[in-house]
Every structure is written in structure tokens, then in C-alpha cells.
Amino acid sequence: MNGKDNYIYPAIFDYADDGISISFPDLPGCLSCASSDEEAYYMARDAMRGWLLVSEEYGDEIAPPTPLKDIPLEPNQRAVLVDANLAFYREPYKNRAVKKTLTIPAWLNDMAEREHINFSSVLQTALKQQLNV
């Protein structure tokens, strides 16, 4: 995950009697909805952050934003620029727990369990030492 930190993309707010549907012309499948303009902006930003973080994680190409003036709109739609800074959201993601399966000799497992050794802690410490971090 080495994407840039700041993104600005146009979102389309589609107004209907039952609320506002939100879509991003440049981010396929990035959708949300809301009941007010303020909520729509927050929901659009949240959806965009999630979409971008997942795209970065999978190494997907992220298209450049379409200029606002080039977005075709229906009479009930408005184009809105939405910004997101991903730096703050990447950090907790980097520190999420990842389950690993490993194999050790049974005698070593038995001794470690008798001593109430925390396997995850020992592995983390050893990996950090091995990687000089």
C-alpha cells in the first residue's frame, strides 16, 4: 500500500423523494446514500476512502478524476467534489491482526505452554529482531 495521501474525486448526488443516491463516475461500484446534503457528503467521503484503501491493497489501478465540467448530469443530479486524506486511515489498517499458521515441534510447544508463553508476542519480537525494525 503505497498510494498517495490526498484524493479529490467528483461524486454525483442523485436526488429522489426517498433520499440521495451517491455514485462516483471514476470509482466503479463506489456507492452510498443519504437523506440530506450534509450526510451525503460524509457518506460519499467514507465510501470513497474505503474504495481507495481496498484498491490500494489489491494494487488496482486508480483512474484519474474526471473534470467536474465533463460530467454529464440529469436534472435531479448535482456533481460534488469529495476529498479524502488516506494517511490517517492507513495506520490502523497496517496494525490490524493477521492470523498465521505455523508448525513447531510438539516438545517445544509443550514446554512453551507449560511456561505460559505468548506465541504471538514471541513471534512478533523475533520477526522485528530479524528484520531490524
Side-chain angles (χ1 to χ4, degrees):
M1 287 194 306
N2 54 5
K4 66 182 192 172
D5 289 338
N6 295 302
Y7 290 89
I8 299 175
Y9 277 89
I12 297 175
F13 288 9
D14 190 323
Y15 294 85
D17 291 339
D18 61 346
I20 304 167
S21 297
I22 305 159
S23 62
F24 289 84
D26 304 304
L27 311 177
C30 184
L31 306 168
S32 193
C33 61
S35 56
S36 70
D37 282 328
E38 182 178 357
E39 182 185 21
Y41 181 77
Y42 289 110
M43 296 301 289
R45 181 183 265 180
D46 186 58
M48 186 172 96
R49 279 187 202 121
W51 193 98
L52 290 167
L53 286 168
V54 169
S55 293
E56 284 182 359
E57 177 184 0
Y58 286 103
D60 296 339
E61 186 174 329
I62 298 173
T66 299
L68 210 51
K69 66 179 179 57
D70 295 340
I71 297 176
L73 297 171
E74 300 293 321
N76 61 321
Q77 297 177 331
R78 298 293 175 265
V80 177
L81 287 177
V82 178
D83 68 313
N85 181 303
L86 301 185
F88 176 78
Y89 295 91
R90 281 189 198 103
E91 202 55 41
Y93 182 79
K94 287 181 192 175
N95 290 321
R96 77 191 191 291
V98 177
K99 186 172 178 80
K100 300 303 267 182
T101 302
L102 62 110
T103 305
I104 60 173
W107 64 267
L108 187 57
N109 181 65
D110 294 343
M111 286 181 68
E113 285 183 347
R114 273 196 300 275
E115 295 296 321
H116 305 287
I117 301 290
N118 181 317
F119 288 82
S120 293
S121 178
V122 170
L123 179 57
Q124 287 179 51
T125 301
L127 285 170
K128 288 175 184 175
Q129 183 178 12
Q130 186 71 29
L131 297 169
N132 295 317
V133 294

